[in-house]
Each structure stands twice: as C-alpha cells, then as structure tokens.
Amino acid sequence: MGFLASPLTRWRSWTRGRRIGVSLAAVLALVLLPVAGAAGALRLEYAGDPATDARTRGRDAIWLGHAWVDGRKGDAELAALAQRMAGTGIRDLYVHTGPLAHDGSLDPALYPKAKDFLDRAHRALPGVRVQSWLGDVVRPEKDGLDLDRADVRDRVTASARQVLDVGFDGVHFDMEPVRPDSAGFLALLDRVHEVTRAADRPFSVAAPQIDPLPGLHVITTGLSGHGKWWSQSYFAEVARRVDQVAVMSYDTAMPVESLYGGYVAQQTKLALEVTPPSVDLLMGLPAYWDDTSAHRGAAETVRAAVRGARLGLGKNGRANFGLALYVDFTATPDHWTAYRDGWC
C-alpha cells in the first residue's frame, strides 16, 4: 500500500498550479501523440522514389472556367491553351457551364457562346473531349440542391440532356458538399448515367477525399456539421455509377509539402482500392495559390501532388489513371512545368 500511496502523496503535496500544468501536459500528449504518429505515417508515404513507369497514360484533364462559354475568351486564348497542352496527357476539358439553379434547372443564357467554343476547341484540339461542368451547392449543409427530391433530380437530368444537345462530349458533375449517406445523389447518378450511356458520351464526377481513418467523416460531421470526407465505401458506390471520377485532392490543411505529398499518396491508394477497373480515376492537382487554414500555398503544390500520386500509383499498371489540373485561370507557368516535368 505504501508503494501505491507514494505517488498520490506527492501529487497532493504539489501546488494547484503545478497539478494543473501536469494535467494539461498529459492531455496535450494524448492529443499530440496520435497527430505525430499520423504525420510520421504521411512522411513515410512520401519517402522513396516513384516507379519509373508511373507517368501519364494520356488520361489527364483540366478544369476550365466559365469565360470559355460566355464569350470572354476567343481564338488567342484557345491557341495559348493548345500550346500549353501540347505534349501532355490531357484528354478531357471540364468546362464550367452552370451553375445549376437550386431547383436543378440550367439557364441557357449562362453559356451563349458554348456552341462556338465547342466548334473551335474541336478544331484546335483534335481528340480532346470537352465535358460540360455542372454543379451547385447541396442541402442539407448549404441552401442549394435538394437531391432527395425527385423533381430536382428530374430537372438536373434534363439539364444534362440540355448540354449534350448543345454538343458537349460529356457531362461532369461537381456538387458540394454531398454527404456520404446521400441516397439522392446516388439515384441522380443512376438517372444521368442512363442518359450519357444512351448518347455514348462520358459521365464524370468530382469527388471529395476519402476518410484517412475509417469513420472520420462521422466524427467531423457530428462536431462541425461539415462533411469533409467520404467513406471509402460511399466513394466506391459513386465510382460504380460513372465513367470517370476525379478526386479533389487539395484544401487538406497540411502545413508542409512532404505531409501534403504523403497525403495525396495515401488518397491515391485508397481510391485505387475501390475504383472499378473500367472507370477512369484522376487525382486533382492544386494549380492555384491560397493561404488559409484549409490550404497552405507553400505546402499544397503541384509538384508535391504529382509526386504523391506517382508514389501512390506505384507499379500499378492501371491504364485509365490520370491527373487533373485545377484550374486554368489560376494555373501559372510554374504549375504547368511541375505537371509536365513530374508526370509527362
């Protein structure tokens, strides 16, 4: 008993301030140790050299802003884009054509020059597919699309038909934030895929990151009300309903480049595990600068994302894997060089 009582006796002899300090240190250690372990794991993901054959498969993409379909960008800008893309693996352009209205409809006045752009793009970039990028914010987190309503899904499906009738080569969805329990989103994907399959055109979707730890999305959504991640199983459900899925592997809050690159490597592995072999998998590249709590510009670089994706891909011989640059109007020559040198 004396042996057991000794620490308690010493604890009681300390001042209140010292006891509080020791208690806080213990709590901090309990918090920091898992964080340190996770950081160490990501650094290991980023270690070593990528496989020599982990290079472009000619299945890459780039998101393009709205200026291409509303008349602000013409032949000179298209020629410059074609020059930047020459010799790369970019096959798909996701051109912002929306946004969708909150009821799911799409106003044709938003894209008055779309047909003209499609004609010029097909001449300047033979073999490149121009997909219509449609999106909106989503309920319940935002005041936007209510995907649980059948009439909203009907109008979104009609909007997809609408852009295919204009001449787009495919449909690309970016709806945020979709929570990984949304049956309405899966039902919408089923409906729209029927339309694109009948027209023999690709259907793609921009997807959030996958839970780095199983069940993490449940904790973060419960604490903050914001759905940051999808469960790996929900990611798989989405991937099975499309032809192409592009992971938005940025805005990760990683503080340094090595951790961000390791995180992209981890995300690449998680996505590869559950994306059907017939579905194109693309990892997003942050071709923009921002310095916020969610995105540290010095850490989230195109260079680190490319290297991380290559490390995650490893010696996987998957042919339908690519990288996607986000976004054309913020991409600098350095971003393009990092993509070319690291991947192409």
Side-chain angles (χ1 to χ4, degrees), residues 200-273:
D200 195 25
R201 301 188 209 180
F203 179 33
S204 63
V205 63
Q209 298 146 37
I210 299 171
D211 274 342
L213 299 171
L216 188 59
H217 71 279
V218 177
I219 298 172
T220 56
T221 303
L223 291 176
S224 68
H226 173 57
K228 170 68 176 175
W229 294 285
W230 277 354
S231 65
Q232 194 180 38
S233 60
Y234 190 79
F235 184 97
E237 289 289 341
V238 169
R240 284 195 286 269
R241 288 168 164 82
V242 296
D243 303 302
Q244 187 180 68
V245 58
V247 182
M248 296 179 286
S249 41
Y250 33 77
D251 292 345
T252 66
M254 292 295 158
V256 295
E257 200 172 29
S258 60
L259 293 182
Y260 172 63
Y263 183 85
V264 173
Q266 180 196 60
Q267 287 290 311
T268 302
K269 292 177 181 178
L270 290 171
L272 282 168
E273 287 174 359

Side-chain angles (χ1 to χ4, degrees), residues 136-225:
D136 190 22
V137 294
V138 177
R139 291 178 180 271
E141 195 168 320
K142 303 288 185 180
D143 182 18
L145 293 169
D146 186 347
L147 298 179
D148 290 330
R149 287 176 48 178
D151 61 317
V152 171
R153 297 196 298 270
D154 288 345
R155 282 188 287 270
V156 174
T157 303
S159 296
R161 288 195 186 92
Q162 186 175 318
V163 295
L164 293 179
D165 289 344
V166 172
F168 280 96
D169 300 314
V171 176
H172 176 76
F173 277 177
D174 179 12
M175 297 174 181
E176 303 179 47
V178 174
R179 292 185 174 176
D181 59 356
S182 174
F185 186 57
L186 298 181
L188 173 64
L189 298 182
D190 286 334
R191 288 283 309 279
V192 175
H193 204 184
E194 289 176 1
V195 172
T196 59
R197 192 184 293 115
D200 195 25
R201 301 188 209 180
F203 179 33
S204 63
V205 63
Q209 298 146 37
I210 299 171
D211 274 342
L213 299 171
L216 188 59
H217 71 279
V218 177
I219 298 172
T220 56
T221 303
L223 291 176
S224 68

